[in-house]
Amino acid sequence: MKTEPLLRVNGVYWHYEEGAMPALVDIHLALYPGEVVGVVGPAAAGKTTLLLTMSGLIPSNYGGQFVGSVESKSEQGIVFQDPETQFIGLTVEEELAFSLENTGWPDERIERRMAEVLDLIGLNGFANRSPLELSGGEKQRVAIASALSHNPQVLILDEPTSELDPVGAREVFSLLSRLKQEKEMTIVVSSHATEELAAFCDRMILIVEGKIVLDQPTREFFAQVDVLDEHGILVPDVIRLYHMLCQEGVMPASSTGVPLTVEELALHYKEGQLVREGSL
Amino acid sequence: MSVVIEFDEVWYGYEKEKPVLNGVSLQLKQGEFVAIIGGNGSGKTTLAKHCNGLYKPTQGAVKVNGLDTKTMNVAQLSRIVAYCYQNPDHQIFHSTIKAEVAFGPKNMGWPPEKIEQAVAEALAAVGLSDKGEEEPHFSSKGTRQKIAVASILAMKPQVIVLDEPTTGLDYRAMQEMMELVRQLHAEGHTIIVITHDMRLVAEYAQRVIVMHKGKLLCDGDPQHVFSQPQVLAAAQVEAPAMYRFGKAVDVHNPIPLTLTAMRKQLLGEGK
């Protein structure tokens, strides 16, 4: 992408006041409009801290030593792992209106925006429900709606599916896909669910002990199986099978890069079969 | 294999017209590795909590080693069937890991030397022998999960029920946890795992029980369960990626469920 970045992190070092070690070391990255970026790393690697820094909450809301700078031309919305920790309103409507009222929006504009956002997350008719009575996936969609209410250009999500069952996780990723396709939203999402990230993200970042180890387009990222194994990152079975079959000579390497989904691998495997049988 | 736990027409509910368990009958045998799957509200956790008397049937009976759970209390049943909660923080409350693990055996009235030995063995089994004096609440989620498992192991139960043992863990911690469970199974413990992770089911379970609306929808080996799209849809899960790939490229007899099995089949190994 040749456009100007929405957000740039320049040489950031961050050490929490109470931390034994720095949480981020020499972080450089740029985020471009419309990109969907996945962030992976072992437990306590610095994923949440990186997202808090990108959202601007570090250093302003936390105590510690900060070096470097974050330049932002955009507004960011952030969604946390457990949606309940960020609910304040007694109804979905109150929840969505809360921050807009605090920034002095007029009532009719708030009403209009709430209707737009509920429509966007597919929860029309939920305005008067208590957010605490909803299913896990619905709660997380309300949390996403709250983050979207200000119409930010960048949506940042910290492990949004780790506490959800598969249905809730699918709901969240399907909403994110819609935001990507229909709104060309710029999205940064951290997760251990690498199978979902591989299918969804344009670019992947691996962070280990506060340092960025890999930052690449998704297909190139998942070509680095040795690096991912070294740091204990789950390589999706589809991708690992592809690498195994290429190494064993069962099929050639794909000219379009590493297949990222069952469908992509099946297509590539079938093409390889036709070549072996002499039909192509 | 002898029957350890038997459900006989078990009904359970808070309201008569809305049973959470709706006439479930099944037998769990000594040494089995069983996965219980199902959507939210399907009754899988309620089913599992009947295994050690945390819940008792409204109608019907649950028997553990032939004894009706209604005639026993949870403390007595926990010596046979131990329940490990999804969130380890729901069961950790002592200030050192050692004291936490010793809690169960102490309550069972064991003499101090027997408690000490049980604690040492349980900590060794989960790889935490050198951490006994540490404060459990400050450990990582993976370690807290292991402490929870050690706490139940110390009571030397015949059956171990694990409710979502890998939720929220990173891949390395997940692998360590499941290797520990595999080892406990190899040592003869009967394992019951409640999970949403079909990769885990494919890799470890010998038998899958699918719950739907309080009823037993399907009971069979993973191959049998994954071959039934309607059952998977009702349980709100997808077959593991390798199974879906096998179907897409027509690999059969049987369709491999795991990466290792798929690789072998495609390379023609083991034939």
Side-chain angles (χ1 to χ4, degrees), chain A residues 41-44 81 135-136 159 162-167 170 192 195 228-238 240-241 244-245 248 250 262-263 265-267 269-270 273, chain B residues 39-40 86 140-141 164 167-172 174-175 196-199 203 235-238 240-242 244-246 248-251 257-260 262-263 266-267 269:
Chain A
Q81 192 170 347
S135 72
E159 299 199 31
S162 69
E163 302 290 327
L164 301 183
D165 62 24
V167 181
R170 278 201 294 273
H192 293 301
E195 196 177 321
L228 299 175
D229 281 345
E230 185 191 337
H231 296 293
I233 303 302
L234 171 64
V235 175
D237 282 349
V238 160
R240 201 178 282 282
L241 182 66
M244 282 176 171
L245 296 181
E248 303 278 359
V250 174
V262 166
E263 293 72 26
L265 181 64
L267 187 65
Y269 181 82
K270 283 180 187 165
Q273 266 182 325
Chain B
N40 278 336
Q86 176 176 357
S140 68
K141 173 117 192 243
E164 293 278 356
T167 298
L169 299 186
D170 69 14
Y171 179 54
R172 203 164 265 171
M174 187 198 92
Q175 272 184 312
H196 290 298
D197 184 345
M198 293 307 110
R199 196 171 172 276
E203 190 77 37
Q236 302 177 327
V237 294
E238 262 192 324
M242 288 300 95
R244 287 182 278 132
F245 173 72
V249 300
D250 237 3
V251 177
L257 303 180
T258 64
L259 179 67
T260 312
M262 179 61 78
R263 178 182 173 276
L266 292 179
L267 295 178
E269 288 175 5

Side-chain angles (χ1 to χ4, degrees), chain B:
Chain B
M1 288 190 289
S2 59
V3 174
V4 191
I5 300 173
E6 182 169 11
F7 283 70
D8 183 13
E9 281 294 313
V10 171
W11 291 68
Y12 180 82
Y14 309 97
E15 296 169 57
K16 262 191 181 167
E17 57 284 2
K18 285 188 198 161
V20 187
L21 290 185
N22 194 346
V24 175
S25 293
L26 60 88
Q27 293 184 333
L28 299 170
K29 300 196 177 88
Q30 174 62 40
E32 281 191 307
F33 196 130
V34 183
I36 304 178
I37 68 171
N40 278 336
S42 62
K44 53 187 191 306
T45 296
T46 307
L47 180 80
K49 285 186 173 172
H50 273 80
C51 294
N52 75 338
L54 284 167
Y55 292 159
K56 308 233 168 133
T58 314
Q59 279 178 47
V62 177
K63 287 181 184 165
V64 174
N65 283 344
L67 297 168
D68 192 325
T69 57
K70 283 184 184 152
T71 66
M72 301 162 85
N73 61 34
V74 178
Q76 289 167 318
L77 283 162
S78 295
R79 297 174 195 201
I80 308 168
V81 185
Y83 193 97
C84 197
Y85 287 85
Q86 176 176 357
N87 185 342
D89 298 335
H90 288 173
Q91 67 187 81
I92 292 176
F93 52 94
H94 277 92
S95 56
T96 68
I97 292 175
K98 217 168 161 181
E100 183 60 44
V101 177
F103 178 75
K106 264 188 187 165
N107 271 347
M108 288 161 77
W110 291 2
E113 54 286 5
K114 190 176 171 191
I115 294 174
E116 193 147 323
Q117 193 188 342
V119 170
E121 283 172 9
L123 287 176
V126 301
L128 293 177
S129 293
D130 56 339
K131 311 254 186 220
E133 299 305 326
E134 288 183 15
E135 152 73 76
H137 294 98
F138 294 142
S139 339
S140 68
K141 173 117 192 243
T143 303
R144 295 203 305 279
Q145 200 74 274
K146 286 182 183 171
I147 296 167
V149 173
S151 303
I152 61 168
L153 276 185
M155 294 184 284
K156 303 192 182 298
Q158 198 178 340
V159 182
I160 299 173
V161 184
L162 299 132
D163 192 350
E164 293 278 356
T166 58
T167 298
L169 299 186
D170 69 14
Y171 179 54
R172 203 164 265 171
M174 187 198 92
Q175 272 184 312
E176 282 176 16
M177 174 54 61
M178 288 316 296
E179 281 313 309
L180 170 62
V181 175
R182 194 203 290 272
Q183 188 195 324
L184 295 172
H185 179 241
E187 286 166 7
H189 293 276
T190 304
I191 304 287
I192 302 169
V193 177
I194 302 170
T195 186
H196 290 298
D197 184 345
M198 293 307 110
R199 196 171 172 276
L200 185 154
V201 171
E203 190 77 37
Y204 297 94
Q206 298 166 329
R207 175 179 171 190
V208 186
I209 290 172
V210 186
M211 293 297 294
H212 182 54
K213 295 184 177 170
K215 291 188 173 180
L216 183 69
L217 180 65
C218 185
D219 182 357
D221 64 27
Q223 189 67 236
H224 173 70
V225 171
F226 290 137
S227 68
Q228 299 187 65
Q230 301 95 320
V231 168
L232 296 179
Q236 302 177 327
V237 294
E238 262 192 324
M242 288 300 95
Y243 188 88
R244 287 182 278 132
F245 173 72
K247 271 190 97 168
V249 300
D250 237 3
V251 177
H252 284 294
N253 300 323
I255 301 177
L257 303 180
T258 64
L259 179 67
T260 312
M262 179 61 78
R263 178 182 173 276
K264 266 190 187 171
Q265 186 137 332
L266 292 179
L267 295 178
E269 288 175 5
K271 284 192 177 169

